[in-house]
Amino acid sequence: GGKVGANPRAAMHWAGQAARAGDPLGQYLMGTFYHQGEVLPADPRRAFRWFAAAAARGNAKAMHNLAIAYAEGLGTAKDVAKAAGWFARAAERGYVDSAFDLAVLFERGDGVPQDPVQALKWYQVAALLGDRPSQERADMLRHQMNHRDVVLADGQAREFERLTPLASANALPAF
């Protein structure tokens, strides 16, 4: 996640109040504070709970961080299938890192059935959103796939229309 600006105490105060009131951005920020351990003491379980709350209310960064927590077993039991589900939700909203990570899971068959078409689709989606490592992985994967599957994946990537993230859940106020 991004760094909070010049006034971490003010940000923390706002985030804490907003989070407890059910605001997804405040919840995401609280998750970030507990994850980073700079403004508040590091606490993976609390970070996980706040990311889960924010993700459930539509915050795409929280969805991604929740997926990472499930993938690595941070503050929760490791569950790669759940990680894949949250990567997918964030990727569908155009979150590039999640599209890349989802592609990796499909390429490996980790938490999801191995599926080179889905892998290539999500690498391409991330590449179309400007991610160079995804473009490189897509190019490598292309050479290992049959032509029909490549055409299918490219078509799906081109047709991809990201869900519009809830502005209220994803736009940060200025501190």
Side-chain angles (χ1 to χ4, degrees):
K3 292 277 183 224
V4 171
N7 195 340
R9 291 202 96 57
M12 189 181 72
H13 179 72
W14 177 86
Q17 285 190 320
R20 286 184 287 278
D23 178 86
L25 262 171
Q27 293 169 337
Y28 163 72
L29 282 174
M30 290 303 290
T32 302
F33 292 144
Y34 281 118
H35 176 71
Q36 289 174 341
E38 291 164 22
V39 180
L40 290 166
D43 186 333
R45 279 190 147 81
R46 281 188 170 157
F48 174 83
R49 285 202 299 270
W50 284 122
F51 287 144
R57 287 176 176 83
N59 183 279
K61 284 182 181 177
M63 291 175 191
H64 179 76
N65 289 11
L66 189 60
I68 297 280
Y70 276 122
E72 297 178 4
L74 297 170
T76 189
K78 185 172 175 168
D79 187 331
V80 185
K82 280 185 181 169
W86 283 107
F87 281 138
R89 287 184 188 95
E92 284 160 2
R93 284 156 180 82
Y95 200 75
V96 172
D97 291 351
S98 284
F100 179 87
D101 290 336
L102 183 60
V104 170
L105 294 182
F106 276 119
E107 190 177 353
R108 292 183 190 153
D110 194 3
V112 289
Q114 193 167 21
D115 187 338
V117 173
Q118 284 295 303
L120 182 55
K121 171 198 167 175
W122 288 111
Y123 282 136
Q124 276 299 109
V125 165
L128 291 168
L129 293 169
D131 188 57
R132 288 205 53 78
S134 293
Q135 187 63 64
E136 291 161 18
R137 292 290 277 267
D139 293 342
M140 273 172 36
L141 191 55
R142 256 192 178 80
H143 294 300
Q144 303 162 18
M145 292 169 63
N146 68 55
H147 180 69
R148 193 176 57 89
D149 285 350
V150 168
V151 170
L152 188 64
D154 282 347
Q156 288 179 7
R158 270 196 308 277
E159 287 162 20
F160 172 77
E161 283 185 35
R162 63 177 153 186
L163 298 173
T164 306
L166 287 168
S168 63
N170 293 277
L172 217 108
F175 290 109

